[in-house]
Amino acid sequence: MFNFVFEGDIVDSLIALQARQPQIKVKPPIGKAFPLPVRIELRGIVLEDALQAIGEQGVNIADVVWLPANNEVFIRYR
């Protein structure tokens, strides 16, 4: 369990998450990328919680895609 606090672009949130959870591999975004601000403040969470919270802030614009078999994560713009 860990804490995760971040404010900035959704793509950068995955890079910040990787600094806390180095087992994940952040891949480049898919689709037409553009700035999408997010604000995350989580305490006592697991990786899945952080990814879900980031994805919820994509607000039908971007999704967080996690491939657990490879521990890969990326943003997919709609």
Side-chain angles (χ1 to χ4, degrees), residues 22-77:
Q23 75 271 23
I24 63 171
K25 300 171 194 130
V26 177
K27 302 303 234 179
I30 293 177
K32 184 175 169 129
F34 57 91
L36 180 60
V38 297
R39 181 184 166 129
I40 309 289
E41 188 169 334
L42 303 168
R43 309 270 183 234
I45 57 154
V46 295
L47 177 60
E48 292 86 354
D49 297 332
L51 293 171
Q52 181 178 1
I54 294 167
E56 287 171 357
Q57 292 197 26
V59 192
N60 296 325
I61 297 169
D63 299 310
V64 172
V65 178
W66 180 39
L67 306 172
N70 301 330
N71 261 335
E72 295 177 341
V73 64
F74 59 91
I75 299 297
R76 179 179 54 219
Y77 290 92

